[in-house]
Every structure is written in C-alpha cells, then in structure tokens.
C-alpha cells in the first residue's frame, strides 16, 4: 500500500472518491464496476441516439477493452491483483462485446 492508501492489487489508479480529505479515498475495482453497471442500467438510449462512433473506432476500442480484461484475469490468476478485480475485467469484456457488435463483428 502506498502513502495515499492505494493497494494496486485492489484499487483503481486512475481515480479516487471525493471526500473531505483533499486526497480523497481509494476506489476498489468492485466499487467502480458496481457504480458503472448501475450507471449503464439507467441508460435508455435508443438506437441512433447518443454519441456516434465509426465501426472501425468501435472495434479499436473493443480490442483495448478486451486486452484490459484479459490482463486483469491474468493478474488475478498470478495473485498480482485481488480477486475483486474480476468485476472490472468482466465489465470491460461486456463492453468490448457490445462495441464489437456495433462494429459488425458479432
């Protein structure tokens, strides 16, 4: 664990939860995946609404998410990451599959 209370095996490196403390609090993979799933559950975008990206861009983003997901799985298997990181990896894989469908691969 570092000086900021971040355990790289369990916490996100890219963001912290806002608190009264100027440094904020670490966010676990599970907390972040649950919050993102809740946000996605509120998405009522109809086909043709919202942001548009090209099929190629969707496939490129999907490939990055898929790689991220597999690296998380590997990190969990080797013990480098806590098992709770699988929540994040699963969400990344689900989003990759969605983007692959948009890009015409599924």
């Amino acid at each position: 664990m570092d000086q900021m209370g971040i355990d790289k095996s369990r916490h996100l490196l890219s963001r912290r939860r806002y608190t009264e403390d100027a440094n904020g609090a670490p966010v676990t993979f599970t907390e972040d995946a649950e919050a993102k799933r809740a946000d996605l559950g509120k998405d009522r975008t109809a086909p043709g609404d919202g942001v548009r990206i090209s099929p190629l861009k969707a496939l490129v983003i999907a490939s990055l998410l898929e790689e991220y997901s597999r690296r998380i799985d590997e990190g969990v298997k080797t013990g480098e990451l806590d098992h709770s990181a699988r929540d994040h990896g699963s969400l990344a894989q689900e989003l990759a599959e969605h983007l692959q469908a948009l890009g015409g691969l599924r």
Side-chain angles (χ1 to χ4, degrees):
M1 199 169 302
D2 71 8
Q3 300 169 352
M4 303 288 282
I6 295 175
D7 176 350
K8 291 190 287 187
S9 74
R10 297 182 48 239
H11 298 122
L12 300 183
L13 299 178
S14 61
R15 74 185 52 86
R16 298 178 64 78
R17 185 174 26 278
Y18 294 108
T19 63
E20 292 180 15
D21 178 353
N23 294 322
V27 177
T28 67
F29 289 113
T30 298
E31 291 169 331
D32 192 58
E34 288 173 356
K36 284 180 173 31
R37 285 182 193 281
D39 288 344
L40 289 169
K42 297 173 195 168
D43 185 6
R44 301 293 178 242
T45 306
D49 291 348
V51 176
R52 296 184 190 273
I53 61 174
S54 70
L56 179 58
K57 199 170 283 185
L59 294 175
V60 168
I61 295 167
S63 72
L64 293 170
L65 288 169
E66 201 163 45
E67 179 65 22
Y68 173 71
S69 176
R70 294 215 177 138
R71 285 182 179 270
I72 285 177
D73 284 344
E74 187 62 27
V76 170
K77 286 177 191 170
T78 63
E80 183 180 352
L81 293 173
D82 184 76
H83 74 279
S84 65
R86 279 212 165 108
D87 296 329
H88 232 244
S90 295
L91 180 58
Q93 184 60 40
E94 290 168 26
L95 292 170
E97 290 169 8
H98 176 73
L99 289 170
Q100 288 167 344
L102 291 176
L105 281 184
R106 293 188 179 262

